[in-house]
Amino acid sequence: KNSLMNGPCGININYEFETEYVGPTGPTGPQGPTGSVEIHTKKADILSVYTNRQQEINTNGFVIFDFNSVIQGNCYHEPGSSELWVWTPGYYCVQYSLYSAEPCQFSLSKNDSLVIPGSTIGSVIGSSQNTHTFVIQVTGEDLSVETGLETPTTACKLQLINNTTSTPSITLIDATGSNNILPQVSACMNMYLL
């Protein structure tokens, strides 16, 4: 009934055609250059030390750590000493905690000559626990102090120093100071390479 004369028709027809030609496979081209494979492994440098004995530390004296919890990678600590050694340049997360009987102030010392900015903590009352977490940078230039070890011969030396000026010495409290039986940590320090 509909025709061009009577008006448009209501039927639309759409067609899509798709053709594909499948021919023989061409010859193989020349081999490209071999890609480079880089494998990066990072061994963690972790140092964790502590002491559970009472010790009296004079002003400008160092905290002595008697035990090693973990030593892994390019770091070292001799039990019963204050020196902590690292010999990989980079940024280290450092955390330490001290339980003191008197008001005090402690800092992290680098290579016997520098108190690291941002590392100083303290308390205004006695019988307090002082805890601090921060990040330090060890540079290639810091690896300059003789270690006394066969390898490495030089490294960066870190120590916790008592820089309290209000009293000539500070006592770190052990379990007897709190009337307890089990050995109790009086000072600890943990650090790891980021």
Side-chain angles (χ1 to χ4, degrees):
K1 292 183 179 180
N2 291 323
S3 69
L4 292 177
M5 301 293 275
N6 294 331
C9 171
I11 300 173
N12 291 321
I13 300 174
N14 292 324
Y15 292 98
E16 286 187 26
F17 293 99
E18 187 175 310
T19 60
E20 182 177 334
Y21 173 74
V22 179
T25 301
T28 302
Q31 183 173 349
T34 302
S36 62
V37 177
E38 295 183 18
I39 299 175
H40 296 282
T41 58
K42 183 176 180 182
K43 184 176 181 181
D45 293 354
I46 302 172
L47 183 63
S48 179
V49 297
Y50 71 98
T51 184
N52 56 17
R53 68 179 169 93
Q54 184 167 304
Q55 55 184 291
E56 188 172 318
I57 304 168
N58 293 332
T59 300
N60 297 321
F62 301 106
V63 176
I64 293 173
F65 296 102
D66 294 305
F67 304 102
N68 299 334
S69 296
V70 177
I71 295 181
Q72 178 178 301
N74 296 328
C75 50
Y76 179 74
H77 171 256
E78 181 69 32
S81 71
S82 64
E83 296 91 1
L84 307 170
W85 300 95
V86 295
W87 53 90
T88 299
Y91 291 94
Y92 289 80
C93 183
V94 178
Q95 184 275 333
Y96 53 79
S97 185
L98 306 159
Y99 188 28
S100 67
E102 301 87 9
C104 67
Q105 188 177 75
F106 283 83
S107 301
L108 188 61
S109 167
K110 183 194 289 185
N111 292 340
D112 295 322
S113 62
L114 172 70
V115 169
I116 297 173
S119 71
T120 302
I121 60 171
S123 64
V124 296
I125 60 171
S127 298
S128 60
Q129 185 168 5
N130 299 278
T131 301
H132 190 33
T133 302
F134 57 101
V135 175
I136 64 167
Q137 182 181 17
V138 173
T139 66
E141 293 176 359
D142 292 327
L143 310 180
S144 59
V145 178
E146 291 187 15
T147 62
L149 303 171
E150 186 174 321
T151 303
T153 56
T154 60
C156 178
K157 179 168 71 170
L158 301 168
Q159 295 170 289
L160 275 181
I161 186 171
N162 172 14
N163 44 22
T164 307
T165 56
S166 60
T167 183
S169 66
I170 295 296
T171 303
L172 299 182
I173 302 171
D174 66 355
T176 59
S178 57
N179 297 318
N180 287 310
I181 298 171
L182 294 176
Q184 158 181 318
V185 172
S186 55
C188 66
M189 182 165 163
N190 303 293
M191 59 185 296
Y192 59 90
L193 181 63
L194 298 174

